[in-house]
C-alpha cells in the first residue's frame, strides 16, 4: 500500500493538490476437506481433497485538482464577493487476477498442512470429473474522470454553484464509455435582508434549491461483450470434452445509469440557536436503470443486463434539533428526523410493463415471489392470498363411503399444491372467481418493502458530571417476506423440525396413532365431521404440505408480514470525574461510560428482526427473511482519559 500527497500554492488565490495511491492485495484462500466432510463424500469419492484460491488486485488512484479562490483577496470586490473555481481530473485503475487449483484423492490420513504444501500427493481431476478444472481469470476495471465546480456568494446572502463531471468507464462499450453529469444550486439567506432586522426570534433563515445529475456504473465488467468460459463438457466418443460457452448474453447498448435530483429546502435557526429546523421536498428520477431484465428462454439465457426503465422517488424530509432545557447543572437536547418517500416504477422500456422476479431464497426452481411492474414500487411482493385451511363446511360428507367431496364452487388449489384438497389443507383465494387456482390468474401484489415513513430520535442529557444519550429509530408501513414460515411449516423435508406454532395445526391422526383422515385412491376418506371437529378443536394452522419446493413453498400472503417497528438502538451513560480530582492526578479529563446496543424492539413482526434483508444482491427483491441470524445485543464499557 503506497500513497503520496502533494499540495502547492502558487499565489494566495491559486493552489494545486495531487494525490496518488497504489494498493496491492494478495489473498490466498486454502481449503481442505477431510473424509468426513460432505464435500469429500460428494465430490471426492470419500477421500481428502484440497483447493487453493489465489486472488491478486492492483489498484492505482490518482487525482489532480486546481483551485482558484479570492477568499484572501483585498479590495471592494473581494469584500462583498466570494468566488471559488475548481478544475480536476481523476484516474482509477484496478486489475484483478484469480486462479484456482483443486486436487482430489489424497491418501486417507493426509493432514491439511501436508496436502496444501504438497498438492502433488493427490491426483489431478480427470477429464470425466464433473468438478471444476484449474482455472484462471483476469478482470481489469478502469475509470477516467474530469470535473469542475464554481461557487459564488455575494455578502453571504445570495449563493450560486454549478458543476460538471465527465466520467469514462470500461464497464461500457466504446460508444457509451462517457457520461456527462451537470449540477447547479442556489440559496438565499433571507435573514440577512433588511426587512428581517426586527424579527429577533429568527437567528438564521435560508431558502435553497438544487438540481443535478449523478451516474452509476456499478455492474460486472464486460457485459457488453460476448465472453467465453470453459465450464461446460460434452460427451464425445465416450469422453467428456471441455467446451467453450458463454453465461452472459452480451448487450452492446449498455450505458450509464443516471439519477436526476431536484430539491427545494428551507433551513432555519430560531430563538438564539435553541431550535434548528430543516425541511426538504425532493423528486429524484433514475433513467437507463442497469437491471438484469428477463429475456425469452429461446435465446438460451434467462436474463440480460440492460439499460432500461425509469424509477421515481419523491418525498419530504424534516429535521428538528433543539436544546429543550438548559440550566447550569442540567441540559437536555434532542434531534428528530422523519422522512416520507414514495417510490414508483415509471417505465420498464418500450415493450414491457412488468416482469416477475425470484428472490432465490428457495432456489431458482421456486415460483417468483416479486413483481416489477410499471406504476408499482420496487419491492412489490407477489403470490397467492391465503384463506387459512379448508374447513369441514367446504366439503360434503358421505357417511356410507366415508368420502369427503369438495363442494361445487369452492376453489381447488390442487394444481398448485400438487395435493388433493381435504379438510385441514392450505386454502388459497380465487382471484379470478373460478373454482381452479392457478399461477396465471390467482396471484396478486401482497405488499411492498417500502416504508410509508421512517426516522429517528436522539436525546442527550447532562447533570453535573453525569451524561446520558438515547437513540431510537422507527419505520412504519413496510412489509417483510418471512420465508421461514413457508419452509418451516411444510413437510418438504421429512422429519424436519417445524415452527412451534405448528403444534396447533390440523391433525389427521390422534395421539394413539389412529387415522381420522387420509387419501385413498385419490379420494379423501375419513371419520365423521363431528369426530374430525373434536380432534381439531382449536386448530389454527393447516396440515404441512408435502412435495417439491415449487409446491410447498408457494409464496402467499401468510408469509408477508408488517415489519413496522420502534427500536431503542443504544443507550450510553457516562460520568466525568471532577476536575479538581483529576488535576491532582495530572489528568486533564477522565470519563467512564457504559453502552448497550440493540436494547429493545417494539414490533408485531413474528421473526427475529424486522430490519432484515438476506437477499440484498437483487435490488428488486428487498425485504426477504430466511434463516437470518438475530441481531445481537452488545454491552460496552470504557474509560476516556485526556492528559
Amino acid at each position: 500500500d503506497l500513497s503520496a500527497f502533494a499540495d502547492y500554492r502558487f499565489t494566495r488565490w491559486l493552489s494545486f493538490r495531487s494525490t496518488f495511491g497504489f494498493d496491492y492485495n494478495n489473498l490466498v484462500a486454502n481449503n481442505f476437506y477431510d473424509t468426513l466432510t460432505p464435500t469429500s463424500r460428494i465430490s471426492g469419492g470419500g477421500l481428502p481433497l484440497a483447493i487453493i484460491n489465489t486472488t491478486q488486485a492492483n489498484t492505482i488512484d490518482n487525482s489532480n485538482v486546481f483551485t482558484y479562490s479570492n477568499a484572501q483577496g483585498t479590495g471592494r470586490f473581494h469584500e462583498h464577493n466570494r468566488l471559488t473555481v475548481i478544475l480536476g481530473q481523476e484516474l482509477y485503475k484496478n486489475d484483478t487476477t484469480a486462479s484456482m487449483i483443486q486436487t482430489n484423492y489424497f491418501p486417507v490420513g493426509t493432514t491439511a498442512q501436508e496436502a496444501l504444501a504438497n498438492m502433488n500427493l493427490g491426483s489431478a481431476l480427470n477429464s470425466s470429473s464433473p468438478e471444476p478444472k484449474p482455472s484462471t481469470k483476469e478482470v481489469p476495471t478502469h475509470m477516467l474522470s474530469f470535473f469542475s465546480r464554481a461557487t459564488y456568494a455575494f455578502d453571504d446572502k445570495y449563493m450560486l454553484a454549478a458543476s460538471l463531471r465527465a466520467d469514462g468507464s470500461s464497464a461500457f462499450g466504446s460508444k457509451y464509455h462517457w457520461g456527462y453529469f451537470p449540477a447547479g444550486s442556489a440559496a438565499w439567506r433571507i435573514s440577512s435582508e433588511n426587512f428581517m432586522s426586527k424579527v429577533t426570534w429568527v437567528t438564521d433563515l435560508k431558502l435553497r434549491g438544487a438540481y443535478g445529475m449523478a451516474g452509476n456504473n456499478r455492474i460486472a465488467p464486460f457485459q457488453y461483450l460476448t465472453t467465453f468460459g470453459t465450464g461446460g463438457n460434452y460427451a464425445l466418443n465416450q469422453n467428456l470434452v471441455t467446451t467453450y460457452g458463454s453465461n452472459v448474453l452480451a448487450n452492446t447498448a449498455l450505458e450509464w445509469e443516471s439519477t436526476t435530483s431536484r430539491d427545494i429546502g428551507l433551513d432555519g435557526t430560531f430563538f438564539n440557536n435553541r431550535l434548528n429546523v430543516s425541511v426538504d421536498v425532493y423528486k429524484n428520477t433514475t433513467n437507463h436503470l442497469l437491471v438484469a431484465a428477463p429475456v425469452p428462454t429461446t435465446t438460451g439465457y434467462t436474463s440480460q443486463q440492460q439499460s432500461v426503465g425509469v424509477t421515481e422517488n419523491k418525498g419530504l424530509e424534516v429535521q428538528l434539533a433543539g436544546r429543550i432545557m438548559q440550566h447550569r447543572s442540567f441540559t437536555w437536547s434532542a434531534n428528530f428526523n422523519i422522512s416520507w418517500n414514495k417510490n414508483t416504477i415509471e417505465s420498464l422500456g418500450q415493450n414491457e410493463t412488468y416482469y416477475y422476479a425470484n428472490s432465490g431464497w428457495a432456489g431458482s426452481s421456486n415460483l417468483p415471489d416479486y413483481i416489477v411492474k410499471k406504476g408499482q414500487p420496487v419491492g412489490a411482493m407477489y403470490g397467492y392470498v391465503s384463506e387459512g385451511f379448508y374447513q369441514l363446511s367446504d366439503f360434503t360428507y358421505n357417511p356410507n363411503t366415508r368420502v369427503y367431496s369438495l363442494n361445487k364452487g369452492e376453489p381447488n388449489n390442487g394444481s398448485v399444491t400438487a395435493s388433493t384438497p381435504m379438510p385441514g389443507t392450505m386454502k388459497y383465494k380465487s382471484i379470478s372467481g373460478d373454482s381452479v387456482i392457478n399461477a396465471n390468474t390467482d396471484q396478486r401484489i401482497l405488499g411492498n418493502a417500502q416504508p410509508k415513513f421512517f426516522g429517528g430520535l436522539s436525546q442527550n442529557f447532562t447533570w453535573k458530571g453525569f451524561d446520558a444519550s438515547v437513540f431510537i429509530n422507527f419505520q412504519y408501513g413496510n412489509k417483510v417476506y418471512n420465508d421461514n414460515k413457508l419452509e418451516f411449516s411444510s413437510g418438504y423435508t421429512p422429519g424436519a423440525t417445524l415452527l412451534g406454532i405448528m403444534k396447533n395445526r390440523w391433525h389427521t391422526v390422534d395421539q394413539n396413532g389412529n387415522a381420522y383422515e387420509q387419501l385413498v385412491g385419490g379420494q379423501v376418506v375419513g371419520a365423521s365431521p363431528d369426530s374430525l371437529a373434536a380432534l381439531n378443536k382449536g386448530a389454527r394452522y393447516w396440515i404441512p404440505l408435502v412435495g417439491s419446493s415449487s409446491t410447498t413453498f408457494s409464496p402467499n400472503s401468510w408469509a408477508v408480514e408488517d415489519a413496522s417497528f420502534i427500536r431503542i438502538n443504544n443507550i450510553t451513560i457516562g460520568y466525568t470525574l471532577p476536575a479538581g480530582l483529576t488535576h491532582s492526578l495530572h489528568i486533564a479529563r477522565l470519563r467512564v461510560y457504559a453502552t448497550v446496543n440493540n436494547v429493545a424492539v417494539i414490533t408485531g413482526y413474528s421473526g427475529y428482526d424486522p430490519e432484515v434483508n438476506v437477499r440484498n444482491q437483487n435490488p428488486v427483491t428487498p425485504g426477504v427473511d430466511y434463516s437470518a441470524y438475530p441481531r445481537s445485543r452488545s454491552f460496552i464499557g470504557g474509560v476516556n482519559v485526556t492528559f
Side-chain angles (χ1 to χ4, degrees), residues 222-283:
F222 302 117
Q223 297 198 60
Y224 63 91
L225 291 175
T226 299
T227 56
F228 294 91
T230 58
N233 294 293
Y234 276 122
L236 297 175
N237 298 324
Q238 297 183 344
N239 287 307
L240 286 177
V241 179
T242 299
T243 60
Y244 292 92
S246 176
N247 58 2
V248 175
L249 181 59
N251 184 1
T252 58
L254 285 175
E255 59 181 302
W256 280 87
E257 178 181 301
S258 63
T259 299
T260 303
S261 302
R262 311 161 189 86
D263 179 273
I264 297 177
L266 182 68
D267 301 324
T269 304
F270 309 99
F271 308 113
N272 196 24
N273 293 319
R274 291 202 62 171
L275 175 64
N276 295 285
V277 180
S278 181
V279 180
D280 284 88
V281 179
Y282 64 88
K283 178 181 178 181

Side-chain angles (χ1 to χ4, degrees), residues 199-221:
V199 186
T200 57
W201 55 275
V202 176
T203 308
D204 187 34
L205 187 64
K206 182 171 69 174
L207 179 67
R208 50 184 169 76
Y211 175 92
M213 297 179 64
N216 173 36
N217 67 331
R218 293 189 294 273
I219 58 173

